[in-house]
Amino acid sequence: MATSRPQSLADPFSTAPNTPMTEMGLLPQPQHPPNADRPPSSYTTAETARSSFANDDNGSAPSTTFPEAETKLEMGATSADGAPALVPSSGSYIGPEKQKPFFRRRFVWISLLLLVVVVVALAVVLPVYFIVIKPHNSSTDTTGGSGTIPTTGSPSGATSGGNGSTVVTSDGSTFTYINPFGGYWVSDPKNPFRNDARPNLWTPPLNTSWTWGQDKVYGVNLGGLFVLEPFISPSLFQQYPGSVDEWTLSTLMAADTANGGLNQLEDHYNTFITERDIAEIAGAGLNWIRLPIPFWAIEKWDFEPFLEKVCWPYILRVLQWARKYGLRVNLDLHTLPGSQNGYNHSGKLGTVNFLNGVMGVANAERALNYIRIITEFVSQPEWQPVVPVFGIVNEALDATIGMDQITTFYLRAHDMIRNITGYGEGNGPYISIHDGFEGLSTWTGFLQGSDRIMIDTHPYFAFDGEPNDAPIATGTGLQAGGTWPQTACSTWAPSINQSQVGFGVTIAGEFSVGYNDCGLYVTGVGGTDSYGPSCALFMDASQWNDTMKAGLQEFAMASMDALQNWFFWTWKIGNSSTTNTVESPLWSYKLGLERGWIPKDPRTAVGTCAALGVSGPIFDGTFQSWQTGGSGAGTIVPSSVSLYGQYPPTSINGLTAGAIQSYLPTYTPTGSPIPTLPPPTFSPKPPSSVSIGNGWYDKDDQALSPTEVAGCNYPSAWDAVSSPVPTAFCPPTATSTGGGAGIVVTPAPSAGARL
């Protein structure tokens, strides 16, 4: 498949006209990766070959800077459309005929004088035109909100900048933006919703469409920021012995009023990831962020210990930083009421009570409501370009919940979301679902005719229960990494290619270079590792030699090449409070960049699998029209509607034998008004002509929130699998049609009915 960008995307001046030229720094033309001596990978769709860290026989990292970093903006040159053009900085450009020495031509001096006048005029006129005369404004109603987001720029007051520009942060500190790939930031206090930025020259800016099958996702997760995990933020859990998940941490922290109680978490939200982190992500050649968020960003119920709503303004701050640096966001709802998997990152370590057990249906009702609220927010025109993907359930444990049950839930969620956003490309985000650890092939043919559902897989060797003690520090070049790079290619590449044909858009929402489960709290607080020998080496990156780093990088690049569209888990691992060092370094992209086991440019991974001799079928980059919101999107095949169109599911797992499902506890949608997510406030406040939205896209969506039915007793929503099943309806007036929840039936499709 050809991967060359359309010409309009290859020209930064035609696709980002609102960026002042004098602030751009390096704005190079797209180039192909160097070292094309290796054959292109049969498991990737790029035209170019890879350049590996492991190619250096000395084990040291060669430069992975591509030719675009060697160009500079020559203000005297113009392109065909009259914009300043980029020419090689080396001065090696040779014209069509030999010229006289430059300073012996009299007319040159006159030209130089005129050029100075023109440049000065352009420096004044262009910024005024693009920033003041031609702002991008929205016409929707405005309301107030919570969470003030300062609009920052540069010391000179500029609203954009490229490599080498100075960025002023909200606290007044500054840093230098390093981006050798032609990326540039845009921050306009007069319109905080401008989408002109781009992270690099091979990624379309936010105001330009992303094309699945052509554009490639090179992303990182911001894990542990808003959904706490012990191995990502170990110091928080070390401070409170006995904490194993956010539930227990919140309980213990709330009791520690002397140190600020539960509000200590706000300091974590404020400091763990900063604007400089987001700038560094863009400068590393990446173009997406996957941002896990908890449902308690919206609300919690009284029996839940979480810190509700406080993280939402900080979530908005991250989204605005992503906008500023041109990064797209996969917003992932990482926790659900009752827990969708029983893992510590679902909110509570324990059992699955989402769509499973006595409280399964009731918890799923709450989950649907939170999915609805987030959909309403991100579908607003102010946020849709920044959040093109919404992950609605992270890592549901489908073996426990049941494939039929989770599919019924996904069909219900799909219809609810598309009734809010409308159908077809450009109407709301893609809906991302996880493969539930069932393997991608299980999902072939899933809900054919649905509108823009993508499948997310999280391939890890670390959690396969094996010791995984085969050596990785084995040499340099193609000998680096031992068997691990080839294993990544042969294990993951075939299923990724096949899934893109059999399912549609497929991403790897998580992966890492953690090929074993070594690391502080990687298997949980008090967990044990499966690695055969001692884990000590893998917990201290300062002990790694060049051969070790070469092996890890070769494994990373093989994984990237095999997975094609990926998000590394995770950008940052916090220090242990006992050693003041990162004790799970295999999981930190940031540390790997700094220390040399993550490639400086992700494009160098292209061709790794082919170079290792791994071949197989190639996805050609062409999806069926309905899979990307084209013709037929939303017209689900009748067979799927017949099987999965009735919600709640006709059977729920985790019940005792003989239980009558219609007696299961449910909630009623007659509670308080829906808790909408507020938009941010900005400092300085933008002009009144600029809409900030009101948090709710579909004004016709007026249903109330689910709440407990008065007079009914409910078992623990997070620990009800073993609870007795009620033996009668509650309230007594409920019917066998589903109690308080009621049954929703997806209508059979008719040709073109849902386009």
Side-chain angles (χ1 to χ4, degrees), residues 339-362:
S339 179
Q340 71 277 19
N341 51 39
Y343 300 151
N344 61 16
H345 51 71
S346 69
K348 189 174 190 289
L349 182 67
T351 56
V352 177
N353 290 272
F354 161 77
L355 213 60
N356 182 66
V358 176
M359 286 297 290
V361 172

Side-chain angles (χ1 to χ4, degrees), residues 81-167:
D81 60 2
L86 296 167
V87 299
S89 60
S90 62
S92 59
Y93 177 80
I94 300 176
E97 61 182 22
K98 187 175 182 179
Q99 300 290 334
K100 295 180 180 179
F102 183 83
F103 291 103
R104 293 185 182 181
R105 288 176 282 159
R106 179 179 297 178
F107 75 93
V108 168
W109 294 104
I110 299 174
S111 299
L112 283 175
L113 180 60
L114 292 174
L115 178 60
V116 170
V117 174
V118 171
V119 169
V120 171
L122 288 175
V124 174
V125 173
L126 286 179
V128 172
Y129 172 72
F130 286 121
I131 298 172
V132 179
I133 301 176
K134 192 183 179 183
H136 294 283
N137 294 327
S138 177
S139 60
T140 56
D141 294 336
T142 64
T143 63
S146 65
T148 300
I149 300 179
T151 305
T152 57
S154 72
S156 66
T159 60
S160 63
N163 189 45
S165 61
T166 300
V167 176

Side-chain angles (χ1 to χ4, degrees), residues 326 662 706:
S662 58

Side-chain angles (χ1 to χ4, degrees), residues 36 66 162 175 185 196 265 291 297 362 481 522 589 600 643 646 660 662 675 727 740:
F66 283 119
F175 66 87
W185 55 268
D196 307 288
L265 290 179
L291 182 62
V522 166
Y589 200 99
K600 299 295 184 183
L643 288 171
Q646 179 175 307
I660 300 175
S662 58
T727 57

Side-chain angles (χ1 to χ4, degrees), residues 97 106 135 226 329 676 700:
E97 61 182 22
R106 179 179 297 178
F226 301 120
V329 177
T676 59
D700 295 326

